[in-house]
Amino acid sequence: MSRHILQVFSIISLMLSAGCVSPYDFDSEYTEYLIVDGKVTNIGSEIILSYSGKFDPKNTTLRPLNGAEVLLEDNNGGSYHFEGNANVYTPPQGFSPKVDATYTLKVLAAGQSVISEPETIHPGFSFQLETEKATREVFISSKFTKNINGHQVIAQIDSAIPDNTYVKWDYLVLWTHPYTGQLMRESGASQFEVMSTADLKKSGSSSFLVLFWEDIQRYYFAEGVAGLEPSANFQYHIFVTQTTLSKRAYQYWQQVHTQLKNTGGIFDAIPGTIDGNLSIPGTDLPVLGYFTAGASIRKEIVLDDVMILVP
């Protein structure tokens, strides 16, 4: 399941564990709801649809929603029909979203017509990635903390950023298992950051922390396999993607980020409502998720010799 769906699903789980009422009032009066998770960028576009039957806090499984009609429209009169493969819908060959263009998503699924608010693609800005070793103190219970060693991945901004710029940072990691040689892939639903021009100005810095990568993960993945020797060279290839956001999308992902960091303790603030930009016109039926359109820039950084291999 896409990491984007997991982000939305994490919100639902946090709402339930905190015992709060969402803006969609998850209770027995609803027998179904839709999750529409969509993105349009220059490095990849997809719409992922899921469906749930009657709300049940003991069964939070989402079901793929197949056979939907997915249409993307732009402000110049263009329309693009997305083809489905299971519940993942992708644009036609040759589709190339443009900066400053505005896109609206329309979905016909489960007998309902879903429409998004328009999203405009704003230009991104150049950056370089740097890493530095760091130690973080994290809570392991309400009373205890521990130190975790790792690497901070920092985006160094190359030029001035226009006012009212908002971006989201995501990551993907590829590495080769030191014993088996198998190519491994990692990404994290909760490992993302959002940033605005105001954030940079407030910090007085030209850099932004986009990821903390724990060394402890490497020890876990490097557990020995009988009869195999570890490879001499071991590298992590970290791909960081910057995607521009509208102000409303920034506020949405900022709220998601806050709730994912919320431990749900009894003394924590009750998670706030998270409003997407999707609706079923003429009804009050819930639609979860967000449709975003943005410009993406992806950079790679390689971490060498970041772990001790013990056969």
Side-chain angles (χ1 to χ4, degrees):
M1 186 173 289
S2 161
R3 60 188 172 85
H4 303 289
I5 288 294
L6 288 174
Q7 288 168 344
V8 176
F9 192 60
S10 297
I11 302 168
I12 299 171
S13 299
L14 282 167
M15 287 178 176
L16 300 180
S17 64
C20 70
V21 178
S22 82
Y24 305 106
D25 293 330
F26 287 108
D27 58 33
S28 59
E29 73 175 276
Y30 288 123
T31 59
E32 61 185 24
Y33 63 89
L34 300 175
I35 293 181
V36 180
D37 172 35
K39 65 173 183 177
V40 169
T41 77
N42 53 295
I43 64 172
S45 303
E46 63 181 14
I47 310 298
I48 303 173
L49 305 178
S50 297
Y51 168 80
S52 172
K54 185 176 180 180
F55 170 62
D56 181 357
K58 296 181 180 179
N59 180 13
T60 54
T61 301
L62 301 178
R63 299 197 297 273
L65 183 53
N66 306 329
E69 294 291 328
V70 177
L71 185 69
L72 186 72
E73 297 180 347
D74 64 30
N75 58 324
N76 294 315
S79 61
Y80 311 90
H81 183 266
F82 280 46
E83 296 292 335
N85 181 6
N87 69 322
V88 180
Y89 298 79
T90 53
Q93 187 173 3
F95 172 70
S96 180
K98 302 294 191 296
V99 170
D100 295 328
T102 299
Y103 296 91
T104 301
L105 177 67
K106 296 182 177 180
V107 175
L108 178 61
Q112 302 291 344
S113 295
V114 178
I115 187 169
S116 75
E117 294 186 9
E119 285 277 309
T120 299
I121 296 182
H122 302 284
F125 53 86
S126 179
F127 66 95
Q128 302 297 326
L129 295 177
E130 301 175 352
T131 63
E132 59 183 32
K133 292 184 178 180
T135 300
R136 283 192 175 183
E137 186 178 54
V138 299
F139 283 95
I140 57 176
S141 71
S142 60
K143 296 181 179 179
F144 302 99
T145 63
K146 69 174 182 179
N147 291 329
I148 294 179
N149 297 318
H151 287 70
Q152 293 184 146
V153 179
I154 299 168
Q156 186 70 35
I157 312 304
D158 292 338
S159 58
I161 305 175
D163 289 338
N164 302 316
T165 296
Y166 308 92
V167 296
K168 181 170 178 277
W169 306 88
D170 298 278
Y171 81 90
L172 168 69
V173 180
L174 298 178
W175 55 282
T176 303
H177 196 287
Y179 290 91
T180 66
Q182 181 181 0
L183 181 65
M184 312 295 289
R185 172 189 174 113
E186 296 178 38
S187 63
S190 61
Q191 280 279 22
F192 69 91
E193 297 288 343
V194 289
M195 184 203 78
S196 70
T197 310
D199 295 329
L200 278 183
K201 289 183 176 180
K202 184 177 180 180
S203 69
S205 173
S206 60
S207 62
F208 192 81
L209 177 64
V210 295
L211 176 67
F212 178 75
W213 194 242
E214 298 179 23
D215 282 340
I216 191 171
Q217 294 173 312
R218 295 164 181 76
Y219 290 103
Y220 173 78
F221 287 123
E223 291 180 354
V225 179
L228 295 179
E229 294 294 330
S231 59
N233 298 317
F234 185 84
Q235 296 179 326
Y236 271 76
H237 297 260
I238 299 180
F239 298 87
V240 173
T241 302
Q242 169 212 111
T243 303
T244 56
L245 302 172
S246 65
K247 183 177 181 179
R248 177 164 182 178
Y250 166 77
Q251 293 170 338
Y252 173 85
W253 287 112
Q254 193 177 45
Q255 290 179 77
V256 173
H257 189 271
T258 298
Q259 292 211 24
L260 287 169
K261 298 300 182 184
N262 192 324
T263 61
I266 61 174
F267 298 111
D268 292 330
I270 296 176
T273 59
I274 299 181
D275 295 314
N277 64 346
L278 299 147
S279 64
I280 301 175
T283 77
D284 60 354
L285 294 176
V287 181
L288 302 186
Y290 203 97
F291 166 69
T292 60
S296 293
I297 300 174
R298 179 172 291 163
K299 294 288 183 74
E300 175 188 5
I301 192 166
V302 178
L303 299 185
D304 294 290
D305 303 322
V306 293
M307 64 183 296
I308 299 173
L309 300 177
V310 182

